[in-house]
Amino acid sequence: MKPTLLVLAAGMGSRYGGVKQIDSVGLHGECLLDYSAFDAARSGFGKVVFVIRKDIEKDFRERLFDRIARNFDAEYVFQGLDSLLTADELAKAAQRTKPWGTIHAVLCAEEKIQTPFAVINSDDYYGREAFKTLGDYLSAMPEGSTEHAMVGYVLGNTMSKSGSVSRGVAEVADGYLKSITENTKISYKDGGIVSELNGKEIQMTGKEWVSMNLFAFGTSAFAEFHAYWDNFKKTSLGEPKTEALLPVAASDIIRAGKGSIKFFTSSEKWFGMTYPEDREIVKAELAAKIASGYYPEKLWEK
């Protein structure tokens, strides 16, 4: 069976100031997610599943989903604050307004995923090479495999001139991920790149390998994700902003000896929709790829 692409598209877009998942950036009204779906469909993936918020469903269908679904097997599920929580747990989380994070989003889609799958963010451009790498890897994955994978990017290729970015800095050995350290505020400063971590400024070289949340998992990973989520609920239901993060759960799989994560790399230059100023940058980057023939001017046939 062909692998599934899981798209995490339920974010609030607080820094962007709008629903960036469905903002038009292509020459014919395409969204950034159109290009990810297009690349995945041509890289061995058989299906795409979107995780969205209920309140954007109408606009999501009109601006993006219905177009993709005419050209690619597509479904969507909802992620809400009450998803996967009992009444008692909801009572403990009564002050929560922020989404629960990327692991919560993945688990919301579990029933729609019957094959090995890749996970991406909705607001990042990854490049076709990365989809092809993971499409081939997942298509050959044996049933029950615990050898998962990810694609890492060069930090310097993933920076934004519009503000700070959040990146997981990867430690790699012998072609496998050893750990990921979440750096939630990396930015340009005084001609260099600095990460503010645990109250300290850390100088970065820009050559570090970082996670862009492009992972590939066998379905065996769901058992570990549930364990991570259950532990998260025990410690963090009362926290207003703490999130259950996919890179942290991935690191836990390695740390607990429950599996491994093969580390692939990409030299692709990232662009994405983090800040309002990014929209024009994304439009220009996509227009250049269209002009070069990398993408057709009109992405989908219908």
Side-chain angles (χ1 to χ4, degrees), residues 81 92-100 232-243:
L81 287 175
K92 294 177 182 178
Q95 304 302 313
R96 184 80 180 196
T97 58
K98 188 178 177 64
W100 290 107
F232 176 90
K233 288 189 295 182
K234 291 176 183 177
T235 61
S236 304
L237 283 179
E239 298 290 334
K241 295 183 178 180
T242 304
E243 295 184 52

Side-chain angles (χ1 to χ4, degrees), residues 34-111:
D34 277 293
Y35 293 89
S36 291
F38 183 88
D39 285 340
R42 282 148 184 78
S43 300
F45 288 82
K47 176 182 176 182
V48 57
V49 176
F50 298 92
V51 182
I52 68 167
R53 304 193 315 268
K54 178 66 176 176
D55 63 289
I56 70 168
E57 181 182 16
K58 182 176 183 294
D59 287 341
F60 173 76
R61 290 197 66 108
E62 291 176 353
R63 299 186 195 177
L64 175 72
F65 180 80
D66 289 347
R67 176 173 59 247
I68 290 179
R70 289 193 294 268
N71 293 274
F72 193 19
D73 185 6
E75 295 186 80
Y76 62 88
V77 299
F78 299 118
Q79 179 188 17
L81 287 175
D82 59 347
S83 301
L84 311 180
L85 295 173
T86 66
D88 287 344
E89 289 168 342
L90 284 170
K92 294 177 182 178
Q95 304 302 313
R96 184 80 180 196
T97 58
K98 188 178 177 64
W100 290 107
T102 45
I103 274 294
H104 183 248
V106 170
L107 290 175
C108 285
E110 182 178 5
E111 291 186 359

Side-chain angles (χ1 to χ4, degrees), residues 214-280:
L214 180 49
F215 288 94
F217 297 103
T219 54
S220 65
F222 278 116
E224 308 311 319
F225 294 160
H226 277 289
Y228 172 86
W229 172 242
D230 289 343
N231 185 65
F232 176 90
K233 288 189 295 182
K234 291 176 183 177
T235 61
S236 304
L237 283 179
E239 298 290 334
K241 295 183 178 180
T242 304
E243 295 184 52
L245 298 175
L246 181 59
V248 177
S251 289
D252 282 356
I253 289 176
I254 301 167
R255 190 177 302 111
K258 298 292 186 178
S260 58
I261 298 179
K262 190 170 178 60
F263 191 83
F264 296 103
T265 63
S266 173
S267 59
E268 181 76 50
K269 182 179 180 295
W270 167 89
F271 52 89
M273 309 274 280
T274 306
Y275 297 93
E277 299 85 353
D278 292 335
R279 184 170 185 266
E280 293 306 313

